[in-house]
Amino acid sequence: MSRPAGGAPVIDVDDLTVRYGAAVALDAVTLTVRVGEMVALIGPNGAGKSTLVNTLSGILRPASGTVTVTGRLAHVPEGRQMFGSLTVDDNLRLGAWRGRDRSTARIYAIFPELARVRKHRAGLLSGGQQQMVALGRALMSRPQVLVIDEMSLGLAPLVVSDLAVHLRTLNAQDGLAVLLIEQNARLALELCSRAYVLEAGKLAAQGPSAELASSPAVVAAYLGGAAEEGR
Ligand SMILES: Nc1ncnc2c1ncn2[C@@H]1O[C@H](COP(=O)(O)OP(=O)(O)OP(=O)(O)O)[C@@H](O)[C@H]1O
Ligand SMILES: [Mg+2]
């Protein structure tokens, strides 16, 4: 469980609206992540999750509202976005902050599994290894907050729980704040102390994960409850 809320915000999204042309992708969304907190953002395909993340990292611009990031934010993009023909080591170095501290030793200490394949081409790794490289590349910039878009996508359950352990450790030991975007709501609610539910560009629910996990609407839509229909 992440540290108790109440600290200063590292991510402060206020009344944010983002459009693609005339289409509204985010509609008046307000969301906060505080120092050392792990917060989940869940929601179905097309809800606007990646739009929010891409606005946080400056790829997209707000139509209205504000996005304030305090400290360094690192973004693990949806689909991992490896340079497949470069080695693991080179992919990691690309994450170094303005070229400073390009030593990858710290990342191999966090992910010992990667040390063995450091000279391998990233494109030849398993999906789980590639997600570790994507996380490692983001950690190279020594961020205060990590935003991870669809960490578990396409990965086997055992690989996902291994990644989850790594995240918990980074949060507990280094106080790294995390905004975790997930379609796997069960994982997100287990890992994060608070969560936001985004549906069709609007916040549909928010609160402590334990509360959301026992809300009938959330159970029915995201946790395969009574109205289990698959998604
Ligand atoms: N570049 C774009 N141009 C136009 N519309 C877009 C663009 N990117 C996303 N959209 C639309 O904006 C809405 C939100 O998309 P977004 O990718 O943010 O959703 P998401 O919650 O990340 O979905 P997923 O779970 O599939 O990753 C969708 O209706 C999508 O079709
Ligand atoms: Mg997305």
Side-chain angles (χ1 to χ4, degrees):
M1 207 43 102
S2 62
R3 293 166 189 198
V10 281
I11 292 176
D12 199 4
V13 171
D14 188 30
D15 204 17
L16 175 69
T17 295
V18 178
R19 298 197 181 94
Y20 296 105
V24 176
L26 289 176
D27 188 0
V29 170
T30 293
L31 166 154
T32 308
V33 178
R34 297 178 191 284
V35 171
E37 235 191 339
M38 284 180 81
V39 174
L41 177 63
I42 62 178
N45 289 120
K49 304 181 298 295
S50 294
T51 301
L52 178 66
V53 174
N54 290 334
T55 310
L56 284 173
S57 59
I59 297 168
L60 295 171
R61 293 204 173 183
S64 63
T66 57
V67 167
T68 311
V69 176
T70 310
R72 204 153 34 247
L73 176 146
H75 176 186
V76 182
E78 187 174 322
R80 292 146 208 157
Q81 315 275 342
M82 300 280 90
F83 290 90
S85 59
L86 298 184
T87 64
V88 166
D89 221 44
D90 287 340
N91 270 279
L92 292 178
R93 278 186 231 281
L94 286 171
W97 183 55
R98 293 180 194 157
R100 285 182 215 171
D101 188 9
R102 289 160 60 86
S103 161
T104 50
R106 190 175 57 92
I107 306 303
Y108 295 124
I110 297 170
F111 301 108
E113 303 92 317
L114 290 184
R116 198 169 45 81
V117 295
R118 62 186 295 164
K119 298 292 175 201
H120 293 204
R121 291 201 321 205
L124 301 177
L125 303 182
S126 71
Q129 288 171 322
Q130 289 193 9
Q131 189 60 284
M132 283 182 199
V133 176
L135 284 166
R137 183 180 56 190
L139 292 172
M140 284 290 288
S141 69
R142 295 186 179 267
Q144 278 79 47
V145 56
L146 195 59
V147 180
I148 310 174
D149 198 352
E150 306 284 5
M151 181 176 78
S152 71
L153 200 66
L155 301 180
L158 268 178
V159 175
V160 173
S161 26
D162 187 38
L163 288 168
V165 170
H166 281 301
L167 269 193
R168 269 209 182 97
T169 306
L170 285 163
N171 173 253
Q173 290 185 355
D174 304 341
L176 180 68
V178 176
L179 178 61
L180 183 69
I181 286 72
E182 268 293 337
Q183 285 202 31
N184 181 342
R186 198 174 297 281
L187 167 77
L189 294 178
E190 271 172 25
L191 206 51
C192 300
S193 54
R194 286 197 303 122
Y196 294 85
V197 181
L198 193 62
E199 289 176 357
K202 294 187 185 184
L203 282 183
Q206 60 179 294
S209 298
E211 272 175 32
L212 288 175
S214 61
S215 132
V218 171
V219 171
Y222 299 103
L223 299 176
E228 182 152 18
E229 288 177 329
R231 296 177 45 222

